[in-house]
Amino acid sequence: MNTVEHSAKYERVKFWYDMKMWSEKKVRNAVVMGFITDAEYTEITGNEY
């Protein structure tokens, strides 16, 4: 079984983005602040970091 570990704040950032409470720019800032990784940014938004 393959389990993917995410950053501590991944679920929150994904939720806020999916609910349209956060823009793509705000998710990008979450990478800069160290909340999520650049790979997680791509996973959440579907766009390369």
Side-chain angles (χ1 to χ4, degrees):
M1 186 168 165
N2 223 357
T3 351
V4 176
E5 291 233 2
H6 287 109
S7 302
K9 296 189 180 188
Y10 170 84
E11 290 298 330
R12 281 187 229 170
V13 173
K14 181 172 177 9
F15 174 78
W16 292 329
Y17 180 76
D18 289 345
M19 297 301 293
K20 310 260 190 267
M21 297 167 69
W22 272 26
S23 66
E24 194 172 320
K25 182 177 181 180
K26 198 124 175 156
V27 177
R28 183 177 286 274
N29 286 340
V31 176
V32 174
M33 297 298 292
F35 294 164
I36 61 172
T37 66
D38 55 343
E40 290 170 334
Y41 169 89
T42 301
E43 195 175 324
I44 291 169
T45 65
N47 299 315
E48 287 295 318
Y49 178 73

